[in-house]
Amino acid sequence: MPECRNCGSFVTERYVRVFAPEGMEEVRVCPSCEDMVRDGAGVREARSKRV
């Protein structure tokens, strides 16, 4: 099963297909990651808390 590389949470194959960089089978961050966000080709710490 696919999972988030940052927090280890389960993500669907559809989520991976949409948000993982080409050639990767895992996403770098997911909606469960409150402290990290995607930023272009990378990942960075969130600037503000998500509610």
Side-chain angles (χ1 to χ4, degrees), residues 34-48:
E34 296 179 5
D35 61 334
M36 304 295 281
V37 293
R38 289 181 305 278
D39 187 17
V43 176
R44 65 170 172 78
E45 287 190 40
R47 293 187 181 114
S48 61

Side-chain angles (χ1 to χ4, degrees), residues 23-42:
M24 290 184 70
E25 296 181 13
E26 295 180 330
V27 290
R28 299 166 292 178
V29 294
C30 72
S32 297
C33 295
E34 296 179 5
D35 61 334
M36 304 295 281
V37 293
R38 289 181 305 278
D39 187 17

Side-chain angles (χ1 to χ4, degrees), residues 3-4 9-10 15 20 24-25 29 34-35 40-41 43 50-51:
E3 62 183 36
C4 174
S9 293
F10 167 78
Y15 187 86
M24 290 184 70
E25 296 181 13
V29 294
E34 296 179 5
D35 61 334
V43 176
R50 291 193 237 174
V51 179

Side-chain angles (χ1 to χ4, degrees), residues 2-24:
E3 62 183 36
C4 174
R5 291 177 73 185
N6 183 52
C7 71
S9 293
F10 167 78
V11 292
T12 64
E13 289 182 18
R14 181 176 289 171
Y15 187 86
V16 173
R17 198 171 30 242
V18 172
F19 293 105
E22 193 170 320
M24 290 184 70

